[in-house]
Amino acid sequence: MRARHRVLLAVSLASATLVGCSTEQQAQESAAPSAAVATFGVRVPAVDQHKLQIADQVRGLDPCGFFDGEEFAAYTLSATAGPARGLDDCAVGLTTAGRTRASGLATIALAGDAPAPDETETRPIAGEKVIVARTAAEDVDCVFKVPLRLPGSPTTSHDGASTATPWARVEGSGFDDSELNCQAATDATAALVSALRENRAPRREDATVTTTLADRSPCELMPAVPTGYTISRFDVQTRPYTCSFRVDGSAAGRYGSTVTVDFLLRPAAEALEPAEGQQAVDVAGHAALREESPGTGSCFVSMTAGPPLASSATPKPSTTTSGTTTGTASTAATRGQVVIRLFAGSCAVADQLAPVAAEIFGANP
């Protein structure tokens, strides 16, 4: 179990190891995560090491810090800024003068989805070719998918294999006309691209907005699985707050049990409110929700961590998106809650791993 349990955003931005012998390259090598930490006790090939490194780098960035650039000099920034839909993002309220109800949001999500096959339209912003993404919400006119070019990150791994490209998602919403929404998204994209290119990316360790578990990886559960279990497969990915693996052991069944651990953001008022099919349970002294699938024998167990969070106020009514209720026009901030969610293909495995996860990640009582 790691010694630190602070909820400050305090993971350093790791640099990829580069081939060469310059002083700068040697410094980047020393900053790279050690093999034991990067693999969480499981040996992985170089291409997977790079995916883990990407996740570590994303956790080291402060998404709210990108709004401090000169790109936002034309706006008044709201005092309420914070995570909107997940631990990797930040939404900030923007106000412009001389317009009717000219207030809205700009949101930067550092762990966005890669472009879909039919998302082919591009637009140059700050010297970067970004993807114009589809939009679904009525008040969102512009969404961009931006290749997240992290400092020192190579395009190929040590064995020559191509490596994953992480994507950020940037959007503007809530303004009273599409031009303002698109301008907010464009300015946020320019701020993100410029900060990364100029090696001045904001660090979580310097952040003024703190989010529980934002500096932690859910893969920290892997080395702590109870005696009698072994990790038989590690599904390595770049997402910073999702970890999937398979365990073998007596309770895992003949073919083992898949396990996925997520750090999510949920509406604070609903985080531990049982929905249909869920039961409120006690997990080693921690309040939790448990959901069992009778047909498959799989289970979800969810617990909260840390205090409720303040998120940016929305400029007008909006529906729940990706588990986060955005509310109505108000100066009051939306309250979010960090949730640890554990899924296992076997309920027996879920019930045995949940207390371990609660202890490692500091679940609330």
Side-chain angles (χ1 to χ4, degrees):
M1 179 176 175
R2 290 169 57 174
R4 73 168 187 253
H5 292 287
R6 300 177 63 191
V7 299
L8 294 177
L9 311 176
V11 173
S12 297
L13 182 63
S15 296
T17 302
L18 301 178
V19 178
C21 53
S22 69
T23 301
E24 181 180 358
Q25 288 168 332
Q26 291 172 351
Q28 289 174 334
E29 289 176 351
S30 65
S34 66
V37 174
T39 59
F40 301 98
V42 178
R43 295 179 63 86
V44 297
V47 66
D48 285 343
Q49 285 276 3
H50 181 68
K51 292 178 183 178
L52 291 171
Q53 188 177 61
I54 288 173
D56 195 46
Q57 286 180 301
V58 172
R59 285 191 294 270
L61 293 173
D62 170 26
C64 288
F66 289 102
F67 293 104
D68 293 335
E70 61 183 11
E71 293 85 357
F72 292 93
Y75 303 96
T76 299
L77 273 63
S78 169
T80 56
R85 298 171 187 148
L87 278 62
D88 68 293
D89 71 14
C90 182
V92 62
L94 304 175
T95 302
T96 61
R99 299 289 188 101
T100 302
R101 214 188 80 237
S103 62
L105 292 175
T107 303
I108 293 176
L110 297 174
D113 293 327
D118 61 343
E119 291 179 328
T120 58
E121 182 184 353
T122 63
R123 182 175 302 180
I125 298 178
E128 180 65 78
K129 182 188 294 185
V130 306
I131 300 293
V132 179
R134 295 189 305 270
T135 59
E138 291 182 0
D139 63 339
V140 180
D141 296 287
C142 278
V143 177
F144 300 127
K145 293 185 176 181
V146 186
L148 197 60
R149 305 194 190 282
L150 300 168
S153 184
T155 57
T156 58
S157 64
H158 298 296
D159 60 3
S162 61
T163 55
T165 298
W167 290 83
R169 178 184 174 91
V170 183
E171 66 181 57
S173 63
F175 282 107
D176 54 350
D177 64 57
S178 60
E179 179 183 350
L180 286 174
N181 283 328
C182 288
Q183 187 60 55
T186 299
D187 292 342
T189 298
L192 172 67
V193 169
S194 299
L196 290 174
R197 179 187 297 126
E198 297 166 10
N199 198 28
R200 53 179 177 82
R203 304 287 191 90
R204 283 196 186 271
E205 60 189 358
D206 301 321
T208 57
V209 177
T210 59
T211 304
T212 304
L213 294 179
D215 64 340
R216 304 284 296 276
S217 169
C219 290
E220 292 175 34
L221 179 63
M222 290 175 59
V225 296
T227 302
Y229 287 105
T230 58
I231 306 296
S232 57
R233 188 184 70 228
F234 183 11
D235 298 322
V236 182
Q237 52 191 304
T238 60
R239 289 203 174 271
Y241 302 113
T242 293
C243 186
S244 298
F245 54 95
R246 185 176 67 196
V247 296
D248 290 336
S250 58
R254 180 179 178 182
Y255 301 106
S257 173
T258 57
V259 177
T260 299
V261 186
D262 295 296
F263 297 160
L264 307 172
L265 194 66
R266 292 287 185 252
E270 304 171 15
L272 288 178
E273 185 69 25
E276 184 178 356
Q278 295 179 325
Q279 289 184 321
V281 297
D282 180 279
V283 174
H286 304 274
L289 293 178
R290 185 178 186 274
E291 182 177 356
E292 180 174 350
S293 174
T296 64
S298 60
C299 273
F300 284 94
V301 179
S302 299
M303 299 165 283
T304 61
L309 307 172
S311 180
S312 291
T314 56
K316 62 182 180 180
S318 181
T319 57
T320 298
T321 305
S322 301
T324 302
T325 301
T326 54
T328 58
S330 171
T331 56
T334 301
R335 305 293 285 178
Q337 176 64 59
V338 176
V339 171
I340 306 160
R341 185 181 68 178
L342 184 146
F343 166 83
S346 161
C347 285
V349 172
D351 292 338
Q352 291 182 22
L353 293 186
V356 181
E359 180 180 2
I360 289 177
F361 300 123
N364 295 331

